[in-house]
Amino acid sequence: MRVLSGVQPSGKLHIGNYFGAIRQFIELQDQHDCFYFLADYHALTTVQDPQILRPLVSDLAAAFLAFGLDPSRSIIYRQSDIPEIPELMWYLSTVTSMGLLQRCHSFKDKVSQGMVPNHGLFAYPVLMAADILIVNSDLVPVGKDQKQHLEVTRDIAGAFHATYGTEVFRLPKPMILEKVAVVPGLDGRKMSKSYGNTIEIFGPEKAIRKRIMSIKTDSTPVEEPKPKEGSLYQLAKVFAPDGEQAWLEKAFDEGGTGYGTIKKKLFEWFLEVFGDARGRFEKLSSSPEEVEAVLADGAQRAREIIVPLMDSVRRATGIR
Ligand code: ADP
Ligand code: TRP
């Protein structure tokens, strides 16, 4: 099976991104042919400052490698290194009905949150379809919020086949990561960079500690048992090593342990879970040539599949 997924470099990576997406990408490497890319063209729909975008792209590339996406097992590349992607997007655009895109929740949500509805935002699912179809992916691991974009991708592929009377694309299936818990943010809502409630993975240690110490808690006194509904319990549950899970349960169920003590533990566990990746990230950040070389090689390997496919697309349409 061919697996493909992309991440937008539209903000600093946070622990929700890791547990909700990247951890699964790493596991899938052992079972499938995987393609993972930095969706930098997609990020332009929200980040429109080059000084901000550039470091976000290089940080995401370094993060992919630091977490263990492995160029010897996966093809890792940057969307903008593959000129055929926007070319395919154009062919797909001409078989995509306006109505299909008008029905997309993600577009409607972003507009209702006050984003200016530019054409890029509207056409976003067509670019995503091009990403997916261009390597003939079978499986696309994504969060629930992206499910509709996968349906749109299949519809667009079907429209292309119906228009040109030839089947050039495989129809991809979403791999919805249902079992993945939604990681809560500092304030109890879903952790998301658009809520400003994240804990960054690669930020300075001091700042992370401060974020963890600022997780919202209630006023239950130290000696009393504590409710488990809040973010602190859920985050601690995710990070606590097996040997400390019992301590954590006791801290909440029996009372006698203050929220501050639990937060300090959480910070220690965070460093245990991400310490190695943070070390690798530091090293990779100081050797950008190494990261660039991985991306260049990934683009070349991806294009070995893409170039012949695009030849079929151009022939099917009559452009060649
Ligand atoms: P954000 O909400 O911070 O903008 P994105 O929408 O860019 O994050 O998400 C990138 C990936 O990370 C997606 O696959 C998404 O499902 C996953 N993800 C983001 N936030 C969380 C979270 N709080 N819990 C679990 N997964 C998450
Ligand atoms: N839209 C996806 C997100 O916000 C990122 C993305 C772009 C993607 N192209 C893709 C995901 C192709 C999977 C396949 O998370």
Side-chain angles (χ1 to χ4, degrees), residues 4-8 37 39 42 124 128 131-132 140-142 146 149:
L4 169 132
S5 199
V7 178
Q8 293 191 68
F37 70 97
H42 278 100
Y124 183 111
M128 188 157 157
D131 295 329
I132 295 169
V140 183
V142 283
Q146 298 295 317
H149 288 156

Side-chain angles (χ1 to χ4, degrees), residues 85-269:
I85 293 174
E87 182 189 350
L88 177 59
M89 181 192 175
W90 181 253
Y91 302 130
L92 299 179
S93 287
T94 60
V95 298
T96 303
S97 74
M98 293 282 287
L100 186 64
L101 300 179
Q102 271 156 351
R103 286 193 290 278
C104 286
H105 308 304
S106 159
F107 174 72
K108 289 190 280 189
D109 289 350
K110 285 173 182 165
V111 173
S112 73
Q113 281 165 28
M115 270 175 80
V116 181
N118 64 45
H119 175 256
L121 200 62
F122 186 64
Y124 183 111
V126 189
L127 181 57
M128 188 157 157
D131 295 329
I132 295 169
L133 299 174
I134 207 161
V135 302
N136 265 331
S137 327
D138 300 294
L139 280 181
V140 183
V142 283
K144 275 186 211 129
D145 57 322
Q146 298 295 317
K147 187 169 175 221
Q148 192 186 31
H149 288 156
L150 261 291
E151 284 156 15
V152 168
T153 299
R154 292 169 63 91
D155 285 350
I156 293 176
F160 187 96
H161 293 160
T163 304
Y164 293 110
T166 171
E167 308 250 320
V168 288
F169 303 117
R170 275 190 222 165
L171 295 189
K173 288 202 173 67
M175 183 179 173
I176 303 290
L177 305 165
E178 301 274 4
K179 66 174 197 304
V180 170
V182 172
V183 177
L186 302 181
D187 56 359
R189 293 186 290 174
K190 171 190 176 248
M191 184 175 289
S192 170
K193 45 187 176 295
S194 40
Y195 297 150
N197 63 356
T198 66
I199 300 174
E200 280 176 27
I201 299 171
F202 298 111
E205 225 175 275
K206 256 194 174 163
I208 290 168
R209 188 171 192 283
K210 210 168 150 197
R211 297 292 278 174
I212 290 178
M213 296 313 286
S214 75
I215 294 170
K216 217 169 123 192
T217 47
D218 61 20
S219 52
T220 311
V222 176
E223 57 284 0
E224 278 178 33
K226 298 175 184 59
K228 290 179 172 172
E229 286 78 44
S231 299
L232 180 58
Y233 175 75
Q234 292 175 57
L235 286 168
K237 200 75 196 145
V238 169
F239 280 98
D242 292 344
E244 306 255 33
Q245 291 281 344
W247 179 89
L248 179 64
E249 292 302 316
K250 226 174 119 196
F252 275 83
D253 292 340
E254 293 184 4
T257 312
Y259 285 128
T261 309
I262 301 171
K263 288 177 179 177
K264 281 187 195 133
K265 277 276 190 192
L266 174 56
F267 176 62
E268 280 171 29
W269 297 334

